[in-house]
């Protein structure tokens, strides 16, 4: 009999986090699951830890492969997954106890292809946990069914291209031939965004059900200086999928804005390869973006940045981008100050109204004798 969910976890040298990850899955309130851990050639104690867990819980299965990448590991697990639904988890992240139960109930009650939840970011250094979700997600209603066609206006903006905050119907994956790109980074964007483009029934829950570790020096996210070209491999694969299914006309603006967002994020976060990245985008993507109208882009200054990117050498553009970043920081600080002032003014108005209300005056009159006694007592002591 098939389990309700197959949970797929690629594992590579994550001994410091693996116990918390696996325990969060095996301890789910939904018990009818299988857990497929793919040991991607680990050289630390991760394989031993997996065998220990498997010896105590028959729901956990282990696949061992020569070291490759998380995309290949997930594909190997998909080949043997039996669950009605499939979820993915990175080995340094962990689920809240009701993740699978909440997600499958929403999926089952609405016959969904894809389900999404909100999440927490956990700083690996400070251990501080913060809320995370894309701002555009709040533009649609939770626990409400949408098709991909209804979401093109916010496509690529309501969900991130990682798989671990989502649940997928396995038959939907198989019917559409969805696979992960087998590359060292950005190997999940094609799978996720193609799924979100093809789904017929989607919903999300407002509950925060998964914890994603950030500021982790050993994460694959910190290898992008050597692998940034993988982003554009994903971009072109997604483009081909949209064209093949005649979806590009509906997707174009949102898709272009996602590419623009990823370019701007990378140019601000890359270190040793920043200039090489700049030169590549300048010759490939920046010219077409510079020809768009400013209103085509969602961020206010994106068009100005790509006009500069298409014309200026790296050093001059870097100075301009720095100035634009400073301007945005000042504007954000001013907006925060205005919000605080507005909140203070609202509180002052509430207090003023209270002080002039009948109940406040009655209360003051009723407590007047007590205040008089306290005042007399203080004077007598002094």
């Amino acid at each position: 009999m098939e389990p309700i969910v197959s949970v797929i976890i690629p594992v590579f040298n994550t001994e410091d986090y693996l116990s918390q990850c696996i325990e969060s899955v095996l301890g789910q309130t939904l018990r009818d699951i299988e857990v497929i851990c793919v040991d991607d050639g680990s050289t630390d104690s991760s394989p031993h830890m997996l065998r220990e867990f498997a010896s105590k819980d028959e729901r956990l299965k282990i696949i061992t492969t020569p070291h490759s990448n998380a995309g290949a590991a997930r594909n190997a697990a998909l080949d043997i997954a039996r669950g009605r639904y499939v979820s993915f988890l990175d080995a340094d992240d962990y689920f809240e106890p009701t993740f699978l139960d909440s997600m499958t109930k929403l999926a089952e009650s609405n016959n969904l292809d894809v389900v999404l939840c909100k999440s927490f970011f956990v700083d690996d250094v400070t251990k501080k946990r913060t809320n995370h979700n894309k701002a555009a997600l709040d533009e649609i209603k939770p626990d409400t069914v949408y098709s991909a066609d209804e979401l093109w206006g916010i496509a690529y903006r309501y969900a991130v291209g990682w798989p671990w905050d989502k649940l997928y119907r396995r038959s939907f994956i198989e019917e559409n031939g969805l696979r992960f790109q087998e590359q060292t980074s950005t190997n999940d964007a094609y799978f996720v965004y193609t799924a979100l483009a093809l789904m017929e029934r989607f919903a999300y829950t407002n509950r925060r059900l998964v914890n994603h570790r950030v500021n982790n020096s050993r994460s694959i996210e910190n290898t992008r200086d050597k692998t940034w070209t993988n982003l554009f491999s994903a971009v072109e694969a997604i483009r081909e999928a949209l064209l093949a299914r005649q979806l590009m006309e509906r997707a174009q603006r949102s898709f272009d804005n996602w590419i623009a967002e990823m370019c701007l994020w990378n140019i601000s976060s890359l270190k040793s390869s920043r200039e090489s990245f700049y030169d590549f985008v300048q010759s490939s993507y920046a010219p077409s973006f510079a020809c768009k109208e400013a209103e085509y882009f969602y961020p206010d200054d994106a068009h100005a940045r790509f006009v500069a990117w298409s014309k200026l050498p790296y050093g001059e553009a870097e100075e301009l981008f720095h100035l634009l970043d400073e301007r945005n920081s000042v504007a954000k600080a001013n907006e925060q100050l205005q919000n605080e002032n507005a909140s203070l003014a609202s509180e002052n108005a509430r207090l003023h109204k209270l002080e002039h209300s009948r109940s406040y005056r009655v209360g003051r009159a009723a407590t007047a004798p007590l205040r008089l006694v306290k005042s007399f007592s203080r004077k007598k002591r002094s």
Side-chain angles (χ1 to χ4, degrees):
M1 185 175 178
E2 69 177 20
I4 297 177
V5 184
S6 297
V7 182
I8 293 174
I9 307 173
V11 178
F12 178 68
N13 290 352
T14 53
E15 60 185 4
D16 291 344
Y17 311 107
L18 190 58
S19 289
Q20 184 178 28
C21 172
I22 300 296
E23 287 169 0
S24 80
V25 178
L26 296 178
Q28 288 288 296
T29 55
L30 179 68
R31 305 296 297 170
D32 186 10
I33 64 175
E34 67 173 358
V35 185
I36 307 174
C37 294
V38 185
D39 172 28
D40 187 28
S42 297
T43 57
D44 65 357
S45 64
S46 296
H48 173 72
M49 296 171 70
L50 290 176
R51 289 192 294 271
E52 284 287 308
F53 277 110
S55 69
K56 297 173 182 176
D57 196 320
E58 63 181 8
R59 296 176 299 168
L60 192 146
K61 301 175 177 64
I62 305 170
I63 301 175
T64 301
T65 63
H67 180 55
S68 180
N69 55 71
R74 293 189 190 105
N75 287 339
L78 280 173
D79 288 339
I80 67 166
R82 300 181 301 114
R84 194 180 318 152
Y85 299 96
V86 177
S87 75
F88 302 91
L89 186 62
D90 291 348
D92 55 351
D93 296 340
Y94 57 99
F95 287 151
E96 291 294 297
T98 60
F99 174 88
L100 293 176
D101 186 55
S102 298
M103 298 286 271
T104 54
K105 281 180 178 176
L106 186 57
E108 292 279 82
S109 60
N110 293 283
N111 191 28
L112 302 178
D113 298 320
V114 182
V115 189
L116 170 70
C117 71
K118 293 183 176 181
S119 61
F120 295 107
F121 276 6
V122 182
D123 190 294
D124 197 40
V125 175
T126 67
K127 309 306 178 186
K128 182 179 180 181
R129 196 165 75 155
T130 55
N131 294 344
H132 175 268
N133 61 273
K134 297 282 277 186
L137 184 62
D138 292 326
E139 296 181 24
I140 59 177
K141 297 177 181 179
D143 307 310
T144 302
V145 178
Y146 295 90
S147 67
D149 283 344
E150 295 174 285
L151 298 174
W152 283 119
I154 57 170
Y156 306 97
R157 293 191 295 140
Y158 67 88
V160 182
W162 51 46
W164 43 258
D165 57 354
K166 304 170 185 73
L167 183 79
Y168 306 85
R169 183 164 52 81
R170 183 164 62 89
S171 60
F172 166 76
I173 293 174
E174 294 173 350
E175 288 162 6
N176 290 284
L178 297 177
R179 306 287 282 181
F180 288 84
Q181 287 184 286
E182 299 189 0
Q183 54 189 31
T184 52
S185 64
T186 322
N187 48 53
D188 44 11
Y190 168 78
F191 179 97
V192 172
Y193 284 129
T194 304
L196 296 180
L198 299 178
M199 63 192 183
E200 295 181 2
R201 297 183 67 80
F202 162 86
Y204 82 95
T205 174
N206 250 334
R207 301 182 66 187
R208 300 187 185 277
L209 298 171
V210 61
N211 298 270
H212 175 57
R213 209 175 300 273
V214 296
N215 202 14
N216 174 7
S217 61
R218 284 170 287 181
S219 171
I220 192 69
E221 293 175 4
N222 290 293
T223 67
R224 287 182 300 103
D225 267 294
K226 298 178 181 178
T227 62
W228 58 263
T229 56
N230 289 338
L231 164 64
F232 299 105
S233 173
V235 166
E236 295 311 314
I238 296 168
R239 188 193 306 277
E240 289 175 12
L242 292 170
L243 289 170
R245 294 167 173 83
Q246 300 180 328
L247 295 172
M248 182 54 81
E249 185 176 349
R250 280 171 278 183
Q252 188 75 66
R253 186 184 178 200
S254 289
F255 182 55
D256 283 348
N257 269 273
W258 174 67
I259 300 170
E261 177 188 357
M262 295 304 293
C263 287
L264 293 172
W265 178 68
N266 274 278
I267 199 62
S268 68
S269 60
L270 290 174
K271 297 177 177 64
S272 61
S273 62
R274 187 177 299 177
E275 187 167 357
S276 298
F277 180 86
Y278 180 89
D279 291 342
F280 177 84
V281 173
Q282 186 176 56
S283 64
S284 53
Y285 293 90
S288 62
F289 286 168
C291 292
K292 304 288 186 185
E293 298 292 330
E295 294 76 16
Y296 185 78
F297 296 97
Y298 305 131
D300 291 338
D301 61 7
H303 183 255
R305 290 177 189 258
F306 280 104
V307 170
W309 205 326
S310 68
K311 299 179 182 299
L312 298 179
Y314 169 71
E316 294 179 21
E318 187 177 38
E319 291 181 15
L320 176 61
F321 290 174
H322 181 67
L323 290 172
L324 290 172
D325 290 340
E326 285 188 339
R327 186 194 68 175
N328 290 342
S329 295
V330 171
K332 187 175 181 179
N334 284 337
E335 182 181 2
Q336 185 176 355
L337 183 61
Q338 289 174 1
N339 290 337
E340 290 174 355
N341 288 338
S343 178
L344 183 60
S346 175
E347 181 64 14
N348 286 336
R350 187 186 69 82
L351 290 174
H352 180 77
K353 183 178 180 180
L354 176 63
E355 289 173 354
H356 289 79
S357 67
R358 183 175 181 277
S359 58
Y360 180 83
R361 293 196 301 272
V362 170
R364 290 284 295 179
T367 58
L370 180 59
R371 291 199 307 275
L372 184 61
V373 169
K374 287 183 177 180
S375 176
F376 176 77
S377 179
R378 282 195 299 268
K379 288 180 180 179
K380 190 171 182 181
R381 285 198 301 269
S382 62

